[in-house]
Amino acid sequence: MSVVTSDIEKAAEVLRAGGLVALPTETVYGLGADAEDPAAVGRIFQVKGRPPTHPLIIHIGGADQLDEWVEEVPATARLLAGRFWPGPLTLVLRRGRRVPLEATGGLETVAVRVPDHPVALALLAAFGGGITAPSANRFGSVSPTTADHVRAELGEGVDFVLDGGPCGVGVESTIVDVTGEAPSILRPGGVTREEIEAVLGRPVALPSTSHVRVPGQHPSHYAPRARVVLVEPEKVIAEAEHAQALGQQVGVLLPPAFADAPVKAHAVVTVPASTTAYARGLYGYLRELDRQGCDLIVASLPAEEGLGLAIANRLRRAAGPRLSP
Ligand code: TXA
Ligand code: MG
């Protein structure tokens, strides 16, 4: 897992040559390309199987570079960047001329963040430019939080994988749109709504489900292969045992309050009581239940505060209607 200087140099070389590099960030692994190389950006969409109209995030090496990538930086954006970067916060701003439309899915706005991971920051410094990177998974599936997840899912599609160990946050960045009068959260993530509101000194609106073109807001996203059903915490065991008795291979995300309860199911993961630990583990649990051959996962939502908001958002997406059965 340890990354040495020559790996960083090699990865920067691959980016310069128009290749794709999987890189660790504090949230999830990204599939990176030179943000200013439209052909390389095009390959990201191909490898992910992602529709080309879905915008990507551009990763930069420091808040001081923000003006190079966006047209105009409102005071709110400076405030948030100053407080949370490097960190799991993405700001949506007006697109600067340097940003190709391929990276924004044709939008006149652009999403930018400074990742808080030593390997990502070392790569950004060695490369010098911006790295556009969506999560390094196939479109619609669960984001990778280890280098092995990336290799298993994208294999030959990636030219170089930087293994920085498991991601510390485990869910993606919080996306805040600061282009309008009032900032709004487009996707809850690693920085909590409460933290953002405390810095801004005002309430911040949460996602509306109306923008279907934004992939994080598609009905089914962040989804394992197994079907996911959400029930009240006290009904998880009964629901799981019922489905198992009907012949399904049932995986359970067991709420911490029921930790030692016996459950007649195929596979059981007791989720941690701490939302920090739950967020860190969430995608790994879903992948593990898939690996164990579950066809149904029964889970419940945590309280929607702090990181619980992002966890609940991902579980809802995972349980959303599938495009194909
Ligand atoms: O933590 C993260 O954000 C990870 C790591 C790798 O940085 N990246 C990530 O990228 O989650 P991706 O592509 O899986 O999700 C990017 C999200 C999408 O929901 C996309 O719609 C939104 O960012 N986005 C990008 N540009 C946007 C824009 N101009 N306006 C609104 N949403 C935008
Ligand atoms: Mg993603």
Side-chain angles (χ1 to χ4, degrees):
M1 99 149 221
S2 79
V3 169
V4 294
T5 314
S6 60
D7 292 330
I8 299 288
E9 280 159 10
K10 166 101 196 289
E13 244 347 282
V14 170
L15 292 176
R16 278 184 211 110
L20 302 187
V21 173
L23 68 149
T25 80
E26 79 282 33
T27 57
V28 301
Y29 273 73
L31 178 63
D34 177 353
E36 292 169 274
D37 179 342
V41 173
R43 273 194 64 209
I44 290 182
F45 288 96
Q46 236 175 28
V47 169
K48 274 188 70 89
R50 174 163 165 154
T53 49
H54 292 284
L56 304 174
I57 295 173
I58 296 185
H59 298 71
I60 59 174
D64 55 333
Q65 296 166 19
L66 182 58
D67 297 78
E68 299 169 28
W69 297 91
V70 305
E71 204 46 67
E72 182 192 323
V73 184
T76 327
R78 286 237 196 265
L79 195 63
L80 292 172
R83 168 65 179 80
F84 296 111
W85 283 354
L89 174 77
T90 294
L91 295 175
V92 173
L93 289 151
R94 281 157 48 84
R95 180 178 71 94
R97 255 167 300 179
R98 194 171 173 182
V99 180
L101 283 167
E102 283 80 0
T104 69
L107 296 177
E108 285 304 331
T109 55
V110 61
V112 185
R113 86 177 188 99
V114 180
D116 187 15
H117 192 291
V119 173
L121 290 171
L123 178 61
L124 283 161
F127 176 58
I131 300 176
T132 190
S135 51
N137 52 279
R138 301 271 311 159
F139 182 62
S141 86
V142 175
S143 296
T145 50
T146 69
D148 282 343
H149 295 165
V150 179
R151 292 189 192 102
E153 192 160 336
L154 299 181
E156 300 296 300
V158 192
D159 300 306
F160 195 68
V161 179
L162 283 170
D163 186 346
C167 301
V169 175
V171 291
E172 298 82 352
S173 60
T174 303
I175 303 179
V176 180
D177 183 344
V178 279
T179 58
E181 284 287 293
S184 65
I185 295 177
L186 300 181
R187 177 179 74 184
V191 171
T192 66
R193 178 192 198 174
E194 294 84 344
E195 290 173 299
I196 292 168
E197 290 181 338
V199 167
L200 298 181
R202 62 197 273 186
V204 176
L206 275 175
S208 84
T209 41
S210 57
H211 311 189
V212 177
R213 80 175 301 194
V214 179
Q217 300 183 349
H218 261 261
S220 169
H221 214 81
Y222 311 106
R225 197 187 54 242
R227 207 158 54 77
V228 176
V229 292
L230 300 173
V231 296
E232 294 301 316
E234 56 282 0
K235 296 194 176 134
V236 168
I237 295 175
E239 179 73 24
E241 292 188 338
H242 177 67
Q244 184 76 28
L246 291 176
Q248 301 207 58
Q249 297 297 311
V250 179
V252 184
L253 290 181
L254 192 61
F258 302 93
D260 294 318
V263 188
K264 291 187 218 76
H266 181 64
V268 180
V269 175
T270 299
V271 306
S274 133
T275 50
T276 306
Y278 191 0
R280 188 180 297 139
L282 176 64
Y283 291 144
Y285 306 150
L286 296 176
R287 280 177 188 270
E288 176 58 19
L289 294 175
D290 265 350
R291 199 191 60 78
Q292 294 195 30
C294 297
D295 23 65
L296 177 71
I297 295 172
V298 181
S300 65
L301 299 178
E304 294 186 59
E305 57 197 27
L307 274 177
L309 189 65
I311 296 168
N313 172 274
R314 303 308 187 270
L315 285 171
R316 281 211 180 86
R317 305 284 172 213
R322 303 284 166 93
L323 294 178
S324 49

